[in-house]
Amino acid sequence: MKLHRISGRLLRCILAALTMMAALAACSRESPVNSPYLSGALEENTLYTAFVKRSPKYLDPASSYSTDETPYTYNIYEPLYGYHYLKRPYELVPRAASEIAHPVYLDAQGRPLPDDTPGERIAESVYDITLRPGIRYQPHPAFARKPDGGYAYYPLAPGELDDKFYLPDFPLTGSRELTADDYVYAFRRLASPRVVSPIYSLMAEHIVGMQQYGERLRERDRAQRQALPAGARDLPWLDLREPEGFDGVQALDSRTLRIRIKGKYPQFKYWLAMTFTAPIPWEADRFYSQPGMAEHDLSLNTWPVGTGPYMLVESRPNWRHVLARNPNFHGEAYPCEGEPGDRQAGLLADCGKPTPFIDRVVFSVEKEALPLNGKFLQGYYDVPQVERGEYGVSMLVAAGDSQEKAALYRERGIRLPTTVETSNWYMGFNWLDPVVGKGDTPEQAERNRKLRQAISIVFDWEEYINIFENGQAAAAHGPVPPGVLGYQPLPEGYNPVTYQLADGKPVRKPLDAARELLAQAGYPGGRNAQTGAPLVLYYDAMSGAGASPQFDWMRRQLAKIGIQMDVRSTDYNRFQDKMRRGTAQLFFWGWNADYPDAENFLFLLYGPNAKAKSGGENAANYENPEYDRLFEQMKFLDDGPEKAAIIARMVDVVRRDAVWMFGYFPMSGGAYQQWVGNAKPTQMVRNTLQYMKVDPALRLRKTDEWNRPRWWPLGIVLLLILLAIIPSYITLKRRERQTAFGARERQS
């Protein structure tokens, strides 16, 4: 009878353990037990992605200029223009504007000029930009009204802000329609001393009256600060709605914006595709200027307000940020055209459908790359990082190095498309250097040019790409990258100075050609023809050591024709100082385009932009009168055959002078789960979230499949524990009975 009771208790324990295992298994069907999200989250129309280490610092469009901020700013704010999501070369398209405005050109007396007027004769370009009707701001407390029509949260009463540290702490919200005055206000804010904008100096250089307006604002700001204690965070609102403003940016009516540009500057239209020029409602600026807002970290940097497809609804610094569909978004149709191959890739299947497709985007912090990659492979991130282009490339490299990883990626349907981006890496010769530079005499200039050409031939950039870029780049034949007017694809666009055609394909010229040029330069076999001294070139590096695989590779390239190389390695600050003073000889440099126009690359070789003379971006300090003259013609031209022809001539000039070894155009690559649709990698189009979509049902099925728990090991462990307990339990009960029986005998 007692053994029966014991076995009954054990049976109940076993049944309880089995019930617990069954419950856990049942839970895993609803959501994998290792899921980092709440139960049911994977079933929602939400895209999950990550940000690394820290939250974005600036979400104020006037200040934001960092790549990690763009997934938020370009999907919350709505500039006048944007880029076609699928077309390459990149094509400017209207966003908040109803169309791309063509400027009217004026002479010095304000009289209209024909479109084909030479750029140097144009005194002013006038852009009249019409806004789309019916665009409204997201719900925001800055617009909230009381029943009597007054603003609900302005002015805030003393103590009313005490318990508010989070925008949802303000229960009332409102909205209003976008007007041209909001763009006027945004341009004025760029000049405000209260806002640190990296674009202000450039805008002030080109927009009529903006420089003088900025000076007036600084005077107003100083006057307001005089009565305040030093270091005060709460400053009176600097209202920028004053009627005087400046003539360069005006609202002709509620839907027409006029911008006046000095002279002709065709590239100005690209700046209107950046969030620097996104609209700012004065109500939001006033709302965040109230006392206590800065102390509570409430500002446009933390809680932006826009008219774009998404709005920020949750922001927990350095942990989690959530974008949700803006209920007031006016809608935009998914594109119906793209580049060749897009239809086959399924990128045109949603032609004409309203965007955005995704309801929410959740950004979660990851401190290290390893857990981020692990969660992506588990299916818990749909995209590793929206704004980064290196994840797809690194995974392609990993797949090439490991058959196991390649099989895993194929099995999980991970897609890794790549594209060549509008950026470049090149090795430059300092034009001021006596050995590799321009030269003091025509004879020396010719010898130095042949030396640069010889070196350019022996540097095998295809090999460099395979070794150091894992094949994920394209060797450059000129300064203009793919996706930009002026780029010529191979074989037509090959560099005849360093390559020759073989069977219709460009191949690097033989070493004998380089040796011949080296001898003509006065260095037969790599030695000075007059003194016999070896030719030693100096590579100025921005790293801390004098030996690395890249340096060894460079030495081997020069050694092919007998040239020696010495590495002068310094820290980054000293390297920058060398570049500013023009004392480097050979250097490695890169450039990311601000906009997809050849001018944004060709200006890197424009003489007046020389870094040593003017502090510009011409790091090689290159100066060629023919090139500069062509640049001055090209910069005024609109896209078309004439501009393309001049770009081709400019490229020929720099190829002949060989002031750059053109290096390579890096690739960026996306990494997307199989349930992510309409995904196309790009580093120029920033509002990509608007076009992407997810299949939550497929995601839930696959994450459950990939993360299905194996309960049988736990069952074996429980069984072993029970088997170990049974003898001890029986022995314990037997001793208890014996003790109790002995005690009764003593009592009797």
Side-chain angles (χ1 to χ4, degrees), residues 247-312:
D247 294 338
V249 183
Q250 298 173 314
L252 302 185
D253 56 48
S254 63
R255 288 184 48 223
T256 308
L257 177 71
R258 171 168 288 178
I259 304 176
R260 296 168 56 195
I261 301 299
K262 301 172 187 175
K264 184 177 182 181
Y265 181 36
Q267 291 75 32
F268 178 74
K269 61 181 179 288
Y270 295 114
W271 294 105
L272 299 181
M274 299 183 187
T275 51
F276 293 121
T277 57
I280 295 292
W282 65 268
E283 297 94 333
D285 193 37
R286 184 183 69 172
F287 174 79
Y288 287 126
S289 297
Q290 297 182 83
M293 287 285 184
E295 183 181 353
H296 286 219
D297 203 22
L298 294 168
S299 70
L300 284 171
N301 278 324
T302 52
W303 292 99
V305 52
T307 63
Y310 291 99
M311 54 188 284
L312 187 66

Side-chain angles (χ1 to χ4, degrees), residues 379-458:
Y380 294 132
Y381 286 134
D382 304 314
V383 182
Q385 275 188 275
V386 172
E387 77 280 9
R388 307 298 297 188
E390 64 267 24
Y391 284 98
V393 172
S394 63
M395 292 183 74
L396 279 172
V397 172
D401 293 340
S402 168
Q403 292 185 358
E404 182 180 350
K405 287 186 177 179
L408 176 64
Y409 299 162
R410 285 194 303 270
E411 174 193 335
R412 304 221 160 166
I414 293 173
R415 290 176 291 114
L416 304 171
T418 60
T419 184
V420 178
E421 280 302 339
T422 50
S423 59
N424 66 359
W425 283 99
Y426 63 89
M427 184 170 282
F429 299 95
N430 183 8
W431 204 243
L432 304 178
D433 185 81
V435 178
V436 300
K438 177 183 178 180
D440 296 331
T441 65
E443 295 77 17
Q444 186 63 45
E446 181 64 15
R447 288 194 294 270
N448 288 6
R449 180 170 63 85
K450 290 182 176 180
L451 173 61
R452 294 191 301 272
Q453 290 179 348
I455 294 171
S456 298
I457 290 172
V458 299

Side-chain angles (χ1 to χ4, degrees), residues 387-592:
E387 77 280 9
R388 307 298 297 188
E390 64 267 24
Y391 284 98
V393 172
S394 63
M395 292 183 74
L396 279 172
V397 172
D401 293 340
S402 168
Q403 292 185 358
E404 182 180 350
K405 287 186 177 179
L408 176 64
Y409 299 162
R410 285 194 303 270
E411 174 193 335
R412 304 221 160 166
I414 293 173
R415 290 176 291 114
L416 304 171
T418 60
T419 184
V420 178
E421 280 302 339
T422 50
S423 59
N424 66 359
W425 283 99
Y426 63 89
M427 184 170 282
F429 299 95
N430 183 8
W431 204 243
L432 304 178
D433 185 81
V435 178
V436 300
K438 177 183 178 180
D440 296 331
T441 65
E443 295 77 17
Q444 186 63 45
E446 181 64 15
R447 288 194 294 270
N448 288 6
R449 180 170 63 85
K450 290 182 176 180
L451 173 61
R452 294 191 301 272
Q453 290 179 348
I455 294 171
S456 298
I457 290 172
V458 299
F459 265 71
D460 188 343
W461 289 102
E462 288 81 4
E463 181 182 86
Y464 182 95
I465 290 167
N466 287 330
I467 296 173
F468 300 109
E469 297 296 321
N470 297 291
Q472 300 303 309
H477 289 250
V480 181
V484 174
L485 177 73
Y487 171 78
Q488 288 187 305
L490 300 176
E492 293 82 5
Y494 84 100
N495 180 2
V497 173
T498 53
Y499 290 81
Q500 61 189 20
L501 290 179
D503 298 327
K505 297 180 180 179
V507 295
R508 194 165 290 276
K509 285 185 175 180
L511 290 179
D512 286 343
R515 293 188 182 104
E516 176 63 25
L517 286 168
L518 187 64
Q520 294 175 14
Y523 301 99
R527 291 184 174 272
N528 189 300
Q530 296 179 351
T531 66
L535 175 59
V536 180
L537 298 181
Y538 297 93
Y539 173 68
D540 290 277
M542 62 176 87
S543 55
S548 77
Q550 285 91 342
F551 298 163
D552 292 339
W553 180 85
M554 293 175 188
R555 291 188 180 99
R556 289 197 301 272
Q557 305 309 299
L558 291 172
K560 294 174 185 177
I561 53 175
I563 299 176
Q564 300 177 28
M565 188 185 88
D566 189 13
V567 176
R568 298 187 297 203
S569 194
T570 59
D571 60 42
Y572 183 69
N573 290 334
R574 290 191 178 186
F575 173 78
Q576 289 280 46
D577 185 58
K578 281 185 180 182
M579 298 301 293
R580 282 191 293 267
R581 291 187 289 111
T583 58
Q585 189 175 66
L586 297 175
F587 60 91
F588 201 42
W589 206 262
W591 182 257
N592 288 317

Side-chain angles (χ1 to χ4, degrees), residues 27-33 35-46 48 360 696-697 699-700 703:
C27 289
S28 71
R29 289 293 179 267
E30 182 180 347
S31 179
V33 294
S35 173
Y37 310 115
L38 295 175
S39 178
L42 294 175
E43 301 176 66
E44 298 173 354
N45 184 24
T46 299
Y48 295 96
R360 293 165 67 88
R699 175 174 59 196
L700 182 64
T703 52

